[in-house]
Amino acid sequence: MIRSATVFLLATSAVYAQDGLLDVYDGETLWQGGIQVSGGWFFRQESLPLEGDSRRNDPEDRTFREHRATLAASYGVLPQLSICGVVPWIHRERAREDASGTRRETAEGLGDLAIMAKYRVWKRDAHLFSFNWTLFAGAEIPTGDTGEREGGKRLSPQLQPGSGSWDVIAATAVTLDVDRLKINAVIRGVRNGTGAQDYKEGDALTGELTVGYRVIVEKYPGPLLRLQACLKWTHRFRARQDGDRLRDSGGDALFLRPAAVFWPRPWLGFVLEGEIPLYQDVGGRQLGLDFAVSISVSVRF
């Protein structure tokens, strides 16, 4: 029963854990003793099922929606070392149509805590030029709820706010600033453990290339407005249930992520970001992403 519930659901956890938050995966670090606190909201919707890279009609009109509210805090331990923690509150809903109407399954609760260390390996500055190379290491700790029920029945692992597993995150990023132009490249890997209900979410490898242009740049204390576009590629390996690989899991996807980053003051920042699928090729039969959107506010001390 649990295995069949994975069909039509493209599950994610650590891949989305820090999405929408300001300057998490870039090559720059906070100054020593600096603190940045961020609050964010993330929403994604999946619907028409995919078989491979082709959309299919769905007589049951299945949909999946996720709202994720996040609170994050970063601290500059050293000029080249920052640490970050992210705590999400997650609401997930799966719906389908049948002869009796719309049937919904919903789950809401605390998600897994993500922690991250960010170490700048190399930095070079010149006039209107800056280059940073940074390494990341972190984990998702199974603090989230995994026992949500509907009608007395425990919901499938993909709907649960928490995973029940220890997940490892590793990444590297380079950031180049030349006058008004900012280029950021990231490679990120997630190794998921086996969690609640003996379910192991598929490991993931993600690459991102972001090009931004500072439309407004004023002398200190600002403001600064940067418009940017990101190409994001993700490969997800197949999930496992009770040790068996699940046919309807895994795949490759390419997304376009436009965003606006606004710093009205050096201590206050805003991000508005969207995500649009350009290409999706999934294993078996799964729901495909329609779109995602996020907003966040950051305060520095």
Side-chain angles (χ1 to χ4, degrees), residues 88-110:
W89 182 268
I90 298 172
H91 174 92
R92 288 174 175 157
E93 176 185 280
R94 180 167 56 197
R96 63 183 178 87
E97 300 288 339
D98 61 18
S100 60
T102 303
R103 293 185 175 273
R104 300 182 188 277
E105 293 178 305
T106 61
E108 183 177 82
L110 184 69

Side-chain angles (χ1 to χ4, degrees), residues 18-154:
Q18 292 87 27
D19 278 5
L21 296 177
L22 188 59
D23 298 337
V24 172
Y25 286 112
D26 69 6
E28 299 171 350
T29 54
L30 284 174
W31 66 95
Q32 186 171 0
I35 298 174
Q36 179 170 310
V37 178
S38 301
W41 170 80
F42 172 85
F43 173 78
R44 65 186 173 104
Q45 175 177 293
E46 300 168 1
S47 63
L48 287 175
L50 289 161
E51 285 187 2
D53 60 357
S54 301
R55 291 281 190 178
R56 293 289 185 259
N57 291 328
D58 185 7
E60 293 185 296
D61 194 22
R62 299 173 188 254
T63 59
F64 172 78
R65 296 183 178 92
E66 177 182 311
H67 296 266
R68 182 187 296 260
T70 55
L71 179 64
S74 299
Y75 177 71
V77 180
L78 298 169
Q80 69 273 24
L81 176 64
S82 297
I83 56 174
C84 175
V86 183
V87 180
W89 182 268
I90 298 172
H91 174 92
R92 288 174 175 157
E93 176 185 280
R94 180 167 56 197
R96 63 183 178 87
E97 300 288 339
D98 61 18
S100 60
T102 303
R103 293 185 175 273
R104 300 182 188 277
E105 293 178 305
T106 61
E108 183 177 82
L110 184 69
D112 293 339
L113 169 67
I115 57 173
M116 181 76 63
K118 183 177 181 180
Y119 182 75
R120 189 179 65 230
V121 178
W122 195 66
K123 177 179 176 66
R124 182 180 178 184
D125 293 318
H127 180 61
L128 299 179
F129 174 90
S130 179
F131 179 87
N132 293 269
W133 173 34
T134 300
L135 299 176
F136 304 79
E140 278 200 333
I141 301 170
T143 57
D145 299 328
T146 61
E148 291 291 292
R149 295 177 178 272
E150 184 98 8
K153 172 187 170 183
R154 191 177 187 183

Side-chain angles (χ1 to χ4, degrees), residues 58 62 75 89 94 141 155 167 174 177 194 210 218 237 253 265 281 290:
D58 185 7
R62 299 173 188 254
Y75 177 71
W89 182 268
R94 180 167 56 197
I141 301 170
L155 296 172
D167 308 325
V174 293
D177 286 277
T194 300
T210 303
E218 300 290 343
F237 296 88
R265 287 293 183 267
D281 186 0
D290 295 329

